[in-house]
């Protein structure tokens, strides 16, 4: 006990040392950059085609925005087409495997799957944003650029084979999201959301960076594969485990796990609604991709304990506090904390099925949640109106199509078959049972039962209560089309889950 | 053609989608009817061309598995949505789509003017889709999907006119609607489905697979005859079959199911769905061969049902109910065939029965239509001259079911009786023989009272022949009822028993394990044939004598055998017994004890209590969210300290 405490104190001594290490690493880094320059060949470029594609796209939109006046429609169109191209590249690179650019990025398989996920998320967000921004008189092209830049960040995270790249991706993503959260600069709640997110985000990132520094200090490398493979035969195990712990904290903040969740409800409530959807799905998926890369094969028992703790707390707190909410966006905020808890179960299970379960869940959750935020953004009126549960009363007769879609999304979020949400939970709980975490799976089931209450509260309000007349803006056919596509997808995946699962099984 | 197999199943589903989603918008009987019947007709053509291809290929290449997709993968459970085309399933497919198509066409005329026309065709197509899944599945789970699906369609279609009054002849007098009949059918079937489910669990537990081929080959290889688990599996499967195929003890739903539109009775409750149990037992023939005790039970239940249902049919006056009891009785024959190991004969009877029973129901439908929804045969009579086509076809079907050669019913029924006899089950044979006589009697009682003799209806009604769209299916079915048996002419009569040879590979495994009984001599076979023709003729003769020439004798008979008549009239009081023994205790018990006692006080108390506690915790925990970012950072830091504590001090 005592010697451990001394070692703990020596951590602070270590702090000075790792700055030294980092400074040594910098020339090392630049040599890598030179290597990239000289060894770069077309194969490697093709391997990161999704990233290149979305980067090119964002530069094109940036140029359109600065060179052409009244360019919002054009930017929108180009963004949508470009994201389809990105999706195409993501799918074509799926067959690849290994790393590229001197073991900086992982290619194919896992990274490609996430590239698909991110580009779909960005696409859906952009489509819902169009109606929403017009309604709020904030249809600026910068919005699309910021979405695209943060998508690049997410893709970098999911394909990181090096802690430095992970960090760069995370920051790129986060900074864009800070700005997006405050996109309605005249709205107080939007500013508040941006500031809170930024302050706490910076706080969390510093811990992440500190963790990376500790791990580097102990191992002498930032290469993730090397670190994972040699984890057991390293001397400075305490430094490594604390370093990994700090990285875990930084990522736990991004997924909104309890107790690092305090920002979630405020930020989701204050941000523009489609942005909340994007944060809840894209950013969360990116952080989970990093979680999976780092922890799925290398979980020590202590880390496992921490993951279980975070998971249990998130499920309990997220679901229980969600019950008392009266604002729909805030309710979804708490529910997203709970969903992070479910996915952390898969991580704690640390097996193949857990990984596939998380990926499956992320896909299902992305569709359901962007859909839900999308419907909310279509119902929302100026000045943050129509966001209370009471405003949804009688929606079943006033807006039957939207109400039906929202009801299906709520059923899916609650995990009721035959929708995708059910199988997401099912595979994760099975993974937990397989690795002797039955009690955690039971806790997951119990808290899901609680979640049914607040999801169905919305359905009850829509169909079984009478509400006052409220104003709706017109919903564009495009939004309907996308919503119907989402419903078809979540039903299709729910009825035929092995379609996704067989693809996930191919990832090494 | 094999690669087109998925379309056999898919086309009716497409028809269901089009009629179900757009039917109201289409709002055209012609188009809805065309889509509905066309989809099934096309399926039939595909199935037919597959059959022709199979006929050309050698025996061992006649089985094909067509996998559509990997359906459910969980642990060691791996179930594909895959269809198995073989001699048995193609036969069933042809019956389902062929007879189904004719009934669809007939329904265009029958449902003319109904406001739910498109809905009716959507349900019919959905039924065909589910039924095809049932017969084509290559594993128990997909079969179960179809099994449940046809149950659902049966429920939807029995209650098609959901607020129509309906005489149950028992419970809820005067206020029962067709919805009650639908509910009864559904609930009774659930009991059987429960057996099927448990059997499926046991099968998976024993063999680790639900695919037919895996299960059957493993069973054949490793399970000894008389294995106890196999006994329970087969018994539970048979419980499922008794539900779906209306056998003792679960037959009570079928007479009430007649509340549905008549084409539904023809399609679902005579020709196809109710034979699902027979098909399932035949499909699992190897499992039954390994459980001789279950086979015995199947045979006993079969012959008992055949006999009792026939006696109940003797005194009924509702035209459709007579046919319903007749269906139950004929299904009993089929199970008798399966039970004595004559699987091919059972399936043969499924086929011929589909022809003549569908014809009888459709004819009955035409009569009911002409008589303005009158179903009591005591109020009919003399319709022969008004509806000549219906009469002639109905007469043919009645001859077929009465077992008069060379019509189809003779060959299939006699095959079953002969197999029972040659296995040494003389009692089965005698009961089956008597039942055959009873069948001939009640069928010709029906024919005589409906079509012949005096007109007993008021002359405000003007019965007339049904339109062509209804009579043409009748004629086709009549032709099939006549020639349908020629595929199974026994060796004794110089035929090749083609259908038995065709199905031989399916039952090869089962036949290996069955102790083949002594084969009776040719003389015996001829003798039995003559006897069963005789009993049919006698039945017909008495029926015509009694009901056409000496109706006063009927009164006398029923008066002198008052107690028996009362017993039969009330269907052995089975409904009443079930009501007293099962329904009432459950209703009372769940009302007083479970609902008002246990549910309201204890369950609701716990649920509401825990909900209240959760809501209270929620509103309390909510207050932690102060809104100040400094406090958020504080919580954050506490989290870090705890996590680092775990990492360092463990």
């Amino acid at each position: 006990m005592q010697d451990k405490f001394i070692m703990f104190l020596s951590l602070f001594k270590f702090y000075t040392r790792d700055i030294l290490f980092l400074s040594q690493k910098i020339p090392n880094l630049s040599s890598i950059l030179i290597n990239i320059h000289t060894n770069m060949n077309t194969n490697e470029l093709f391997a990161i085609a999704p990233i290149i594609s979305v980067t090119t796209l964002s530069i094109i939109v940036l140029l359109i925005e600065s060179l052409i006046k009244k360019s919002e429609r054009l930017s929108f169109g180009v963004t949508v087409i470009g994201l389809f191209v990105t999706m195409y590249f993501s799918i074509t690179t799926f067959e690849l495997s290994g790393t590229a650019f001197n073991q900086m990025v992982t290619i194919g398989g896992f990274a490609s799957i996430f590239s698909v996920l991110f580009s779909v998320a960005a696409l859906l967000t952009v489509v819902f944003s169009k109606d929403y921004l017009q309604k709020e008189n904030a249809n600026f092209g910068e919005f699309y650029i910021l979405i695209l830049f943060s998508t690049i960040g997410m893709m970098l995270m999911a394909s990181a084979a090096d802690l430095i790249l992970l960090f760069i991706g995370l920051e790129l993503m986060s900074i864009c999201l800070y700005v997006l959260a405050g996109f309605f600069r005249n709205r107080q709640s939007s500013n508040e959301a941006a500031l809170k997110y930024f302050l706490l985000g910076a706080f969390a990132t510093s811990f992440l960076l500190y963790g990376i520094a500790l791990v580097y200090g102990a191992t002498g490398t930032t290469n993730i594969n090397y670190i994972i493979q040699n984890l057991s035969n390293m001397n400075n195990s305490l430094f490594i485990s604390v370093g990994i712990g700090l990285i875990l904290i930084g990522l736990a903040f991004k997924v909104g796990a309890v107790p690092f969740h305090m920002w979630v409800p405020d930020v989701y409530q204050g941000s523009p609604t489609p942005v909340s959807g994007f944060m809840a799905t894209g950013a969360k998926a990116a952080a989970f991709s990093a979680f999976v890369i780092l922890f799925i094969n290398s979980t020590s028992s202590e880390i496992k304990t921490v993951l279980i703790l975070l998971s249990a707390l998130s499920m309990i707190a997220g679901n229980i506090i969600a019950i008392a909410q009266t604002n729909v966006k805030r309710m979804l905020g708490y529910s997203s904390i709970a969903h992070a808890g479910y996915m952390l179960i898969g991580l704690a299970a640390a097996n193949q099925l857990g990984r596939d379960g998380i990926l499956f869940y992320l896909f299902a959750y992305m569709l359901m949640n962007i859909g839900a935020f999308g419907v909310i953004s279509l119902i929302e009126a100026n000045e943050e109106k129509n966001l209370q549960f009471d405003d949804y009363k009688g929606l079943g007769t006033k807006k039957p199509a939207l109400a039906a879609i929202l009801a299906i999304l709520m059923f899916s979020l609650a995990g009721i078959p035959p929708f995708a949400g059910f199988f997401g939970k099912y595979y994760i709980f099975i993974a937990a049972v397989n690795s002797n975490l039955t009690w955690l799976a039971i806790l997951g089931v119990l808290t899901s039962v609680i979640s049914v209450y607040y999801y169905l509260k919305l359905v009850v309000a829509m169909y079984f209560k009478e509400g006052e007349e409220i104003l709706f803006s017109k919903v564009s056919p495009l939004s309907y089309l996308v919503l119907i596509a989402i419903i078809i997808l979540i039903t299709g995946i729910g009825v035929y889950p092995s379609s996704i699962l067989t693809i996930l099984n191919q990832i090494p | 053609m094999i690669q087109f197999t998925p379309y056999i199943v898919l086309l009716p589903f497409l028809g269901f989608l089009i009629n179900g989603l757009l039917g109201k918008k289409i709002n055209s009987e012609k188009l809805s009817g065309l889509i509905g019947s066309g989809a099934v007709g096309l399926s039939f053509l595909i199935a037919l061309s597959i059959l022709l291809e199979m006929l050309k290929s050698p025996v061992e290449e006649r089985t094909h598995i067509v996998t559509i997709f990997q359906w459910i993968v969980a642990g060691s459970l791996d179930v594909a949505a895959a269809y198995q085309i073989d001699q048995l399933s193609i036969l069933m497919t042809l019956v389902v789509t062929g007879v189904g198509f004719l009934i669809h066409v007939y329904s265009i005329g029958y449902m003319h003017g109904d406001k739910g026309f498109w809905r009716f065709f959507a349900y019919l197509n959905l039924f065909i889709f589910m039924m095809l899944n049932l017969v084509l599945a290559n594993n128990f789970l997909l079969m179960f999907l179809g099994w449940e699906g046809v149950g659902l369609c049966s429920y939807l279609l029995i209650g098609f006119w959901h607020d129509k009054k309906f005489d149950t002849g028992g419970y809820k007098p005067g206020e029962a609607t067709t919805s009650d009949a639908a509910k009864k059918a559904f609930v009774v079937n659930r009991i059987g489905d429960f057996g099927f489910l448990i059997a499926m669990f046991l099968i998976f537990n024993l063999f680790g697979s639900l695919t037919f081929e895996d299960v059957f080959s493993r069973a054949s290889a490793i399970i000894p005859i008389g294995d106890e688990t196999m006994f329970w599996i087969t018994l539970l499967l048979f419980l499922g079959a008794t539900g779906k195929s209306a056998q003792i003890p679960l037959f009570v739903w079928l007479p009430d199911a007649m509340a549905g539109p008549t084409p539904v009775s023809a399609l679902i409750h005579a020709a196809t769905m109710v034979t699902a149990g027979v098909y399932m037992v035949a499909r699992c023939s190897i499992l039954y061969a390994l459980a001789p005790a279950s086979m015995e039970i199947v045979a006993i239940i079969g012959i008992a049902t055949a006999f009792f249902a026939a006696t109940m049919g003797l005194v009924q006056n509702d035209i459709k109910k007579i046919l319903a009891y007749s269906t139950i009785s004929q299904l009993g024959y089929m199970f008798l065939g399966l039970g004595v190991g004559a699987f091919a004969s059972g399936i043969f009877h499924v086929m011929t029965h589909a022809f003549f029973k569908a014809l009888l129901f459709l004819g009955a439908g035409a009569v009911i239509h002409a008589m303005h929804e009158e179903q009591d045969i005591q109020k009919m009579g003399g319709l022969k001259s008004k509806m000549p086509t219906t009469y002639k076809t109905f007469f043919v079907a009645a001859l077929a079911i009465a077992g008069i050669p060379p019509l189809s019913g003779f060959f299939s029924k006699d095959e079953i009786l002969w197999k029972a006899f040659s296995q040494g089950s003389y009692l089965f044979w005698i009961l089956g023989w008597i039942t055959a006589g009873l069948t001939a009697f009640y069928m010709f009682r029906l024919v005589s009272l409906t079509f012949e003799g005096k007109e007993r209806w008021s002359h405000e009604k003007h019965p007339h022949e049904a339109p062509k769209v209804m009579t043409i299916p009748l004629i086709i079915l009549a032709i099939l009822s006549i020639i349908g048996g020629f595929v199974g002419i026994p060796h004794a009569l110089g035929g090749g028993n083609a259908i038995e040879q065709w199905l031989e590979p399916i039952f090869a495994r089962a036949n290996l394990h069955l102790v083949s009984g002594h084969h009776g001599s040719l003389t015996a076979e001829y003798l039995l044939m003559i006897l069963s023709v005789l009993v049919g003729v006698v039945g017909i003769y008495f029926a015509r004598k009694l009901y056409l020439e000496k109706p006063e004798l009927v009164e006398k008979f029923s008066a002198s055998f008052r107690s028996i008549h009362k017993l039969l009239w009330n269907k052995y009081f089975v409904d009443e017994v079930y009501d007293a023994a099962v329904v009432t205790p459950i209703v009372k018990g769940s009302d007083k004890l479970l609902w008002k006692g246990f549910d309201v006080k204890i369950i609701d108390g716990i649920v509401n209590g825990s909900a209240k506690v959760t809501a209270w915790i929620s509103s309390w925990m909510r207050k932690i969210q102060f809104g100040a970012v400094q406090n958020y950072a504080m919580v954050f830091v506490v989290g870090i300290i705890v996590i680092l504590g775990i990492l360092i001090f463990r």
Side-chain angles (χ1 to χ4, degrees), chain A residues 1 4 8 196 203-204 207 241-242 245 253 259-260 262 265-266 302 305 320-321 323-324 330 334 426 496 498, chain B residues 69-71 73-74 614 617-618 621-622 624-625 627 629 632-633 635-637 639-640 643 646-650:
Chain A
M1 186 73 186
K4 277 200 171 167
F8 178 62
K196 277 184 178 166
F203 194 56
F207 283 99
S241 82
V242 170
F253 170 83
F260 312 113
M262 304 293 277
D266 290 2
E302 290 86 20
T305 315
I320 288 183
I321 307 180
I323 288 180
R330 218 173 156 79
Y334 279 107
Y426 172 76
Y496 183 18
S498 45
Chain B
F69 55 81
Q70 213 59 20
W71 186 21
V73 183
T614 315
I617 296 173
S618 175
M621 277 172 81
R622 194 182 168 203
I624 303 176
Q625 196 84 21
V629 77
Y632 292 5
V635 176
F636 199 128
V637 169
I640 294 172
I643 288 177
I646 292 173
L647 292 177
I648 292 167
F649 295 108
R650 258 191 63 176

Side-chain angles (χ1 to χ4, degrees), chain B residues 425-647:
Chain B
S425 319
Y426 304 121
L427 182 66
F428 290 163
W429 181 84
I430 291 172
L431 278 173
W433 183 72
I434 296 172
T435 306
L438 294 175
T439 308
F441 180 81
Y442 68 68
M443 278 318 299
F444 276 84
R445 171 177 174 260
L446 174 59
V447 172
S448 307
L449 286 177
T450 310
F451 290 101
E452 297 174 42
K454 283 194 301 256
E455 295 173 1
R456 294 182 298 279
W457 32 274
S458 73
H459 283 264
E460 288 145 22
K461 293 177 180 172
H462 296 286
H464 54 83
E465 185 57 276
K468 280 238 159 52
V469 73
M470 287 163 75
T471 49
I472 290 174
L474 292 180
I475 294 167
I476 298 176
L477 282 170
I479 295 169
L480 286 171
S481 302
I482 296 169
I483 62 168
F486 295 159
V487 296
I489 300 177
H491 296 289
L493 291 180
N497 210 343
I499 194 158
E500 192 173 313
Q501 274 185 10
W502 170 255
L503 289 170
E504 215 278 316
I506 303 287
F507 304 121
R509 277 204 196 106
N511 287 337
L512 264 181
H513 291 274
L514 286 178
V515 197
S516 54
H518 71 100
H519 292 284
S521 64
L522 264 185
T523 333
E525 194 169 351
Y526 286 131
L527 191 70
L528 292 188
M529 255 180 227
I530 292 166
L531 277 177
S532 56
V533 174
L534 210 63
V535 78
V537 172
V538 168
I540 295 171
Y541 172 77
F542 272 111
R544 295 184 70 84
K545 190 95 187 157
L546 268 177
Y547 288 94
L548 289 181
E549 290 168 26
K550 301 209 168 94
E552 67 280 358
L553 269 181
V554 179
E555 292 295 315
K556 241 186 195 166
F557 268 125
S558 51
S560 50
F561 297 103
R562 180 161 301 284
S563 54
I564 292 181
H565 185 265
K566 199 177 164 202
L567 189 66
L568 295 180
W569 175 250
N570 287 302
K571 299 159 280 186
Y572 298 97
F573 296 99
V574 174
D575 268 330
E576 284 75 7
V577 170
Y578 281 2
D579 213 49
V582 183
V583 181
T584 312
I586 288 181
V587 171
K588 285 267 162 59
S590 57
D591 181 55
K592 294 265 153 54
L593 191 72
L594 292 176
W595 175 27
K596 283 173 187 152
F598 191 68
D599 202 40
V600 172
K601 296 230 170 82
I602 298 178
I603 301 276
D604 285 4
I606 293 171
V607 169
N608 292 339
S610 61
K612 266 182 204 147
V613 171
T614 315
W616 180 77
I617 296 173
S618 175
S619 58
W620 177 77
M621 277 172 81
R622 194 182 168 203
K623 290 182 189 138
I624 303 176
Q625 196 84 21
F626 330 91
V629 77
Q630 304 91 305
N631 294 326
Y632 292 5
M634 266 305 293
V635 176
F636 199 128
V637 169
V638 171
I640 294 172
I641 290 171
V642 171
I643 288 177
L644 289 187
I646 292 173
L647 292 177

Side-chain angles (χ1 to χ4, degrees), chain A residues 304-324:
Chain A
K304 200 167 174 172
T305 315
V306 172
L307 286 172
I308 292 170
L309 185 72
L310 292 181
S311 158
L313 284 175
S314 305
M315 289 189 297
I316 295 171
N319 279 320
I320 288 183
I321 307 180
I323 288 180

